[in-house]
Amino acid sequence: MSAATTDPRGGLSDFFYRHSGLLTLALLLPPLLWIGIVYLGSLFALLLQSFYSLDEFSGLVVHEFTLTTYGHLFTASNLTIILRTAVMAAVVTMASAILAFPIAYYAARYAKGGWKALFYLAVMMPLWSSYLVKVYAWKLILAKEGIITWMAEKLHIGWLLDALLAVPVIGGSSLSFSYIGTFIVFVYIWLPYMILPTQAALERVPKNFIEASADLGASPRQTFRTVILPLALPGVIAGSIFTFSLTLGDYIIPQIVGNSRPFIGTAVYALQGTAGDIPLAAAFTVVPVVIMGFYLTIARRMGAFDAL
């Protein structure tokens, strides 16, 4: 008897060759089970918790279907938290796009060989270090005794920094205790997620389109506005999906850098921890899901998924 007939692996290979549909199912079953049970199951459990309520006297969760918890989201304080988080996410996304575009454009159109490799290394390197280490490092940099304040004093522009910190709402006692500091750290942490999709989209812009625009008499500004920007916009929107959603759900940066005013993430962290209000915490977590649902729908229509 030959080894080919006794080897069970050969018989299994023949079986899957004759039944290719079963092979596809066997390959897809583990990730489908993971997505269906772990991911979607946890989301369903979270959604279910948001329809419960908390008894004000006993502090226990009442497992009865109600919309009371969602009604609490529309109180002035909770609406302020949602608005604060959404505005910060939008501002961080716009600033990231403005900073990322020229960097990505240079890498896509001019960087060659070793310079392009250096570009990827420079963009990716911050992602290799610990998230917490970067945030705490920025807290030290932005502190009142940090290097930014020291440099401002050495350059005799400390008055400008003080004037910036004196601006209502966004200011504070120092950069590390203000919305300005929170904004700076958010932009630094998420900027690579904006640069890479934008650069990938710019790489796909055909050079002959730019040459044709110039041949037709368009100025560089007109070429950028009518050719380059529309074709690169899906990449920018794709990057905005990352920066917007990550800012929307982050709870670590607002806890470490910034004032004590909560964002959605910090509110959820406090509610499910010290407060023990699991239903309201679950209702809060549904808010980013709903916002991102609308955001992804718009992004898909604008072709952002083609740039991912």
Side-chain angles (χ1 to χ4, degrees), residues 223-234:
T223 300
F224 174 80
R225 190 178 66 253
T226 59
V227 178
I228 297 175
L229 187 59
L231 293 176
L233 191 59

Side-chain angles (χ1 to χ4, degrees), residues 84-268:
R84 180 184 300 128
T85 308
V87 169
M88 178 63 76
V91 172
V92 167
T93 298
M94 288 187 290
S96 298
I98 293 171
L99 291 174
F101 199 94
I103 299 172
Y105 184 81
Y106 176 82
R109 311 307 298 181
Y110 300 107
K112 304 293 181 183
W115 284 108
K116 180 158 287 191
L118 183 62
F119 160 79
Y120 284 115
L121 183 65
V123 172
M124 297 295 292
M125 188 174 290
L127 301 178
W128 299 343
S129 59
S130 169
Y131 175 87
L132 282 175
V133 169
K134 290 185 290 187
V135 176
Y136 275 111
W138 270 103
K139 185 176 179 64
L140 294 176
I141 293 171
L142 298 172
K144 202 164 189 176
E145 302 80 12
I147 188 171
I148 292 182
T149 304
W150 177 81
M151 288 182 61
E153 292 176 353
K154 291 296 181 181
L155 295 173
H156 304 289
I157 57 173
W159 59 270
L160 182 60
L161 180 60
D162 293 336
L164 185 63
L165 291 174
V167 176
V169 182
I170 65 173
S173 58
S174 69
L175 287 174
S176 62
F177 289 96
S178 66
Y179 285 140
I180 301 172
T182 308
F183 163 79
I184 291 172
V185 180
F186 268 135
V187 171
Y188 169 80
I189 296 293
W190 307 140
L191 187 59
Y193 297 95
M194 178 65 80
I195 293 175
L196 295 176
T198 304
Q199 189 266 343
L202 286 167
E203 289 276 5
R204 298 191 186 103
V205 177
K207 292 184 179 179
N208 56 350
F209 282 22
I210 301 174
E211 294 170 356
S213 177
D215 292 340
L216 291 172
S219 65
R221 182 176 299 179
Q222 289 174 318
T223 300
F224 174 80
R225 190 178 66 253
T226 59
V227 178
I228 297 175
L229 187 59
L231 293 176
L233 191 59
V236 177
I237 298 172
S240 74
I241 294 173
F242 296 111
T243 56
F244 188 82
S245 61
L246 291 171
T247 306
L248 206 60
D250 193 279
Y251 73 97
I252 295 177
I253 292 176
Q255 276 192 318
I256 298 175
V257 181
N259 49 40
S260 59
R261 294 169 184 164
F263 287 70
I264 289 177
T266 52
V268 172

